[in-house]
Amino acid sequence: MLPDRGVYEVAIVGFGPTGAVAAGLLGKKGIRTFVCDKLHDVYDKPRAIALDHEIARVFQHLGLTEKIQPFLEPFTDSVFYGVDGQMIKRMSTVSAPYPLAHLPSMVFTQPPVEKVLREHAASFGCIDIQLGQTLVNLEQDDDISTLSLQAEDGSVSTIKAQYVIGCDGASSAVRGFAGIGLQDLDFDEPWLVVDVLVNEEGLRKLPTTSVQYCNPQRPCTYLICPGNHRRWEISINPGEDPQMVSTPEGTWKLLAPWITPQDGELWRQASYRFHALVADTWRNKRFFLAGDSAHQQPPFLGQGMCQGVRDAVNVCWRLEAILRNGASDTLLDSYGIERKAHVMELTTRIKGIGQLITERDVEKARTRDAKLLDECGGVVKAMPRQDVQPALTVGLLSPVLHPARGTIFPQPLLQNKDGQPLRMDEIFPAGWKVIFSKDAGSDVLSAVTNHHLPHLQVAQLGVGQLVELENVLANWFSKHAVLATIVRPDHYIYGVCINANDLAQQLDALKLL
Ligand SMILES: Cc1cc2nc3c(=O)[nH]c(=O)nc-3n(C[C@H](O)[C@H](O)[C@H](O)COP(=O)(O)OP(=O)(O)OC[C@H]3O[C@@H](n4cnc5c(N)ncnc54)[C@H](O)[C@@H]3O)c2cc1C
């Protein structure tokens, strides 16, 4: 039986990457949180292998940059080859100076990174982690949620929490108990995912960039992962048996164009249906969905886990605002509204890349190749993966439209008093901020006085501690031609302002309490 520790402020069901990040974020704020998982250990095989700078910034906020560093490497470019083996597209990363002060795209090894996230969450006294506990029932009334948890010996305990976040993956029990359905975004393909630890001999045979083979006979993806880890995602053809192709013999047969069993060791091979699904709604009163419980998308851009981390950040700063700063409960409504719209837009873009890779009709594929080459005048230009990321378009955003609204505010490198580089969030931690350009005059600066935001941080570029090393912020202000920007605790831009009046009105309208 679980000990009776009274009413928790938050309960997190599922201690995968989404649940572990959520627990770490709440732990940092001293929020009394219960975490459970039906399993004891992290899944020991990699599933996610790519992450981006937004997620690296979250890990930085958790104080984990150095601990996670050994398991990260830069993501190589992805080259797309057409029907006749010609390059038709290339995806790269934005070049330095980096907008968020981290490599924009990375590959990583999921199990050790998950371990670091779990250990971090467990380091807080306010986080109570119970493993080997399966959620078997969930109820709520106006005041409280009640979770029933089954231990491995069959005994059932109940715990109570004000709010519940379902981070319990694709088959989410929380989603079921909350009565939330899934919307099918119309992508359903059988693929084999193969992870190989390749030896020196094998590595010499393999491409030195990641590759999308847009081959109608057998679309597939080759990915360069950390160290000697290489991944193939190979489409399963009509008539092929997913069970057969995922046996070692079946898998080596499909790997034959690249390597043989002498060249490496199979780490994991599994057949999947690549889906595109999103939860109808992400909130039912005290229950919230986050991570794979709320969405699943094909892995063509490596964004599944990244989306879960975005969910965790988004719901946790809202919960903190309610539990610690007395914000209105309605603040929680915009969580699902903005995350669902963002997930749907990104999934649409990922599906677009998927459809480009998986065209099975040879003539249509040749037309695709000709069109792509035509569009770039015959010379393929690298497109940064970050260009595919959508902005937030609905939710807690200023009514004043601007291309920067809903995008992520940069994190410039600043210099400390000894001239050493420091990332901006190390000096100005997550929270509401108004950041002024160096051109903002005293009228604009003084417009910040009228606001309802708790712990608002205010800074002007070039003044005090906000002296940057690489012009990232200066270039951002001049590109957007604004004098001030209102930044949310998750670093998304609430709104931008071009004069004092504009700033005063937006701050005045922004009432969270
Ligand atoms: C082949 C493949 C490739 C991928 N590549 C990438 C990539 O490159 N980049 C990327 O960002 N993402 C990628 N993803 C997606 C990524 O792996 C997932 O999005 C991510 O692991 C989801 O994390 P999560 O914490 O939401 O869910 P999960 O990792 O599924 O964790 C859910 C947890 O909940 C627990 N649980 C379930 N039910 C219960 C219950 N009733 N009671 C208690 N506990 C419960 C489970 O034991 C589990 O620990 C890929 C996925 C696949 C399959």
Side-chain angles (χ1 to χ4, degrees), residues 13-19 36-39 47-50 110 118 133-135 167-169 173 193 231 233 268 272 274 290-292 299 302-306:
V13 181
F15 204 25
T18 307
C36 67
D37 199 291
K38 62 182 177 185
L39 303 177
R47 288 170 299 155
I49 43 100
Q110 186 172 356
R118 280 190 172 201
Q133 295 283 345
T134 302
L135 181 82
C167 302
D168 50 345
V193 177
R231 169 171 291 177
E233 292 165 2
R268 187 275 303 254
Y272 283 93
F274 287 176
D292 275 19
Q303 280 290 319
M305 189 192 82
C306 299

Side-chain angles (χ1 to χ4, degrees), residues 83-161:
V83 179
D84 300 310
Q86 75 281 39
M87 193 202 298
I88 53 169
K89 187 177 169 75
R90 186 178 188 109
M91 294 190 95
S92 62
T93 55
V94 291
S95 35
Y98 299 131
L100 303 191
H102 290 277
L103 277 175
S105 291
M106 287 152 276
V107 285
F108 76 110
T109 310
Q110 186 172 356
V113 168
E114 269 196 60
K115 268 192 201 131
V116 170
L117 293 171
R118 280 190 172 201
E119 281 163 16
H120 171 257
S123 68
F124 296 100
C126 60
I127 305 283
D128 181 3
I129 298 166
Q130 298 289 339
L131 302 175
Q133 295 283 345
T134 302
L135 181 82
V136 290
N137 195 30
L138 181 62
E139 290 170 1
Q140 62 178 323
D141 58 28
D142 288 348
D143 302 319
I144 213 79
S145 319
T146 306
L147 297 87
S148 302
L149 298 155
Q150 186 165 41
E152 284 149 342
D153 64 5
S155 60
V156 174
S157 317
T158 57
I159 68 115
K160 293 194 181 292

Side-chain angles (χ1 to χ4, degrees), residues 303-322:
Q303 280 290 319
M305 189 192 82
C306 299
Q307 291 288 52
V309 173
R310 288 185 189 108
D311 300 340
V313 172
N314 195 313
V315 74
C316 287
W317 80 255
R318 284 172 157 79
L319 285 170
E320 183 207 344
I322 284 156

